[in-house]
Amino acid sequence: MNRYPIDLSGHHERASATFEGRPPRARAAPSAASDSTGALDSLSDSSLRGRQQWFARAVLTSESRVLPVSEAEARHALTPGPRLGALERLDIYRRGYHSRLVECLADDYPALQHALGREAFEELCRVYIEHHPSHSPNLNFFGRRMADLCRSEPRESRVPHGFCSDLATLEWAIVEVIHAPSSDPLTVEGLQHIPANRWGDARLVANMALRLVRFAYPVNTYFQSLREGADPPIPSAQESATVVYRSGPTIWRMDLTGPMFDVLSALLAGDPLGEALGRAEASLAHLDEQETVARVMFWFREWISSGLFVRVAIGSSGT
Amino acid sequence: MANRFDVPDLGVGLGLRTVHYGRILESRPEVDWFEILSENYMQTAGRPLHFVDAVAAQYPVAMHGVSMSIGSTDPLDRAYLEELRALRDRVHALWVSDHLCWTGVAGKNTHDLLPMPYTEEALRHVVDRVKEVQDFLGAPLALENPSTYVEFAGGAMREWEFLARLAEEADCALLLDVNNVFVSAYNHGFEPHEYLRAVPFERVVQLHVAGHTHHGTHIIDSHIGPVIDDVWRLAGEAWRRAGGVSVLLEWDAEIPSLEETHAEALRARLFLGEAA
């Protein structure tokens, strides 16, 4: 079983610095409002809330659209500076808003950005930001819908949507595992407390910092290749499965075969050991019983020693 | 003059950044203290807490947030405040700071530090909310002057007047970011020393310094690169007016090694006097 650690020391901060705007390809220069879509009222309500709602509507306006406020309207609401007009000053905030969120998504999805190329990735992010604005004070989970967006993205792309969606699913599993709680892992010694006559109905309790995912594309191979410094081609469709988990501060990805996935998913679903291991007999029907048992026990030991489980539950108790 | 909140002068600290985790925990460098970004350790039960616990066990820590949105007209986020307080207690943070700004309205969050209109209405609003937060935390909140790129028309006062009145009326602490003073002074055309003269330094518990990006027409508070001497000189003036206060370097993009970042922070000694 191949296991790959991830060094996340480069994860970006949620800092108080102002982000510099990187103008997108289709962005129009700020100018008088002529775009009928989402035209912004002039500031008629000068209460604090009225000002904030007016300002926020401008900042949240997609960069692919003309800022829906005229210079005269901006001057009514805002002061010009020594060297920039009121509208140009307002636009600094709009660029900063979009750039910050694009950087956040790039931080969560570095492989997807590589696969699509920076320009296409930023376009995708701008669609994402428009469809899924943040409602949380925290950006940790802002990017959670990227795989869904990739799957439903109607525009043509040189990279198959299914590949993008799978890759985003893998990268999001890593984010989730970073933030999930974890407990001390179950050890092989811990298994020795299970009475021999209770093995069949014992259930394993999974590490909460674990995600098991199945893909139509070999995205973990692609991801690992990128991490090793290669520039891999977009692979053809080929089913794959990966378990992503954290052990202490280290994030790991482990490739799984189809039979491994069947057994592990049954264990994670809380199936008793007897039933879950019985899945292997069906998946490994081409092997004799002795070989099947030997193979499954090897997987089992590997998963236990990797920290995929935290305890054993027998009946309503645990050990 | 010590600050009125008896917040200690910790010396010259660094903003804790993920790229430095390994180096800090391996070699325990002699950094006076670290400022942690509150939100990096909120809404998580995982890996970030592993690191912040280890750092907090070895260094004095203060918390700096970007999402309290103290100026917003949306209700204060109680869940956020509860998590903030829990983190404060977990890492034994010596103080908690955030910004004089709002980050969103009507439920949407821009994750940016948006400017306040400096009106009497806004002042009343923020004073009430700061009092509410301080009651909740059971401790003074330190508010930082943000960098701004635009000002609302129809303001009744300048930013420094607003900040001074807010601090007095809410009885809160201040985190004075001298780079932000420099940036906003250039962007709005005021004199940074005039700003400093209005600051109630008995309420200042911390200074921020940082690099910025000069575009000719405006300056962006990018936290990139070393601090320019003009900003260090402002820090020196602020430090002397405060009678000594904790100083912290923020470096958030193209972050160099811990040693290089720390060396930049220690340039403070050239400008703040031997006691820093």
Side-chain angles (χ1 to χ4, degrees), chain B residues 37-256:
Chain B
L37 291 159
S38 307
E39 288 76 9
N40 277 3
Y41 310 99
M42 296 168 68
Q43 291 196 13
T44 182
R47 189 176 185 274
L49 294 179
H50 169 87
F51 288 108
V52 80
D53 285 345
V55 171
Q58 300 182 46
Y59 295 91
V61 162
M63 281 165 51
H64 186 50
V66 292
S67 292
M68 188 178 288
S69 202
I70 196 75
S72 173
T73 49
D74 278 0
L76 281 167
D77 185 335
R78 302 296 288 194
Y80 173 87
L81 291 176
E82 283 174 13
E83 200 178 357
L84 188 76
R85 184 170 62 182
L87 178 64
R88 188 265 316 265
D89 294 344
R90 179 185 183 117
V91 301
H92 305 291
L94 292 167
W95 65 88
V96 175
S97 65
D98 205 293
H99 298 81
L100 173 58
C101 71
W102 55 291
T103 62
V105 72
K108 291 181 181 172
N109 200 321
T110 68
H111 299 279
D112 201 354
L113 310 176
L114 305 177
M116 294 295 296
Y118 298 124
T119 62
E120 292 291 342
E121 180 203 9
L123 181 62
R124 295 268 64 76
H125 178 73
V126 182
V127 165
D128 288 347
R129 283 162 67 100
V130 170
K131 287 178 176 174
E132 189 177 341
V133 169
Q134 293 185 141
D135 287 346
F136 184 83
L137 295 176
L141 173 69
L143 279 181
E144 176 184 340
N145 56 304
S147 285
T148 55
Y149 308 101
V150 72
E151 292 176 309
F152 281 95
M157 62 196 97
R158 300 307 302 264
E159 180 181 303
W160 51 90
E161 298 170 285
F162 189 98
L163 195 71
R165 284 186 58 190
L166 168 65
E168 183 66 30
E169 293 176 33
D171 194 19
C172 70
L174 296 174
L175 190 174
L176 183 66
D177 188 318
V178 291
N179 182 57
N180 289 353
V181 171
F182 186 90
V183 167
S184 295
Y186 186 83
N187 290 341
H188 306 313
F190 63 77
E191 165 56 46
H193 296 280
E194 184 182 359
Y195 195 119
L196 258 53
R197 282 194 291 273
V199 171
F201 275 96
E202 75 280 7
R203 294 184 178 278
V204 174
V205 297
Q206 182 187 345
L207 300 181
H208 267 171
V209 292
H212 58 239
T213 306
H214 205 307
H215 290 279
T217 53
H218 61 288
I219 300 177
I220 295 287
D221 176 34
S222 56
H223 297 185
I224 292 177
V227 181
I228 66 168
D229 284 358
D230 282 348
V231 169
W232 275 123
R233 280 190 277 273
L234 276 182
E237 180 182 338
W239 190 86
R240 284 185 289 277
R241 284 176 181 267
V245 64
S246 303
V247 177
L248 184 118
L249 171 67
E250 295 180 295
W251 198 321
D252 286 304
E254 300 170 17
I255 304 173

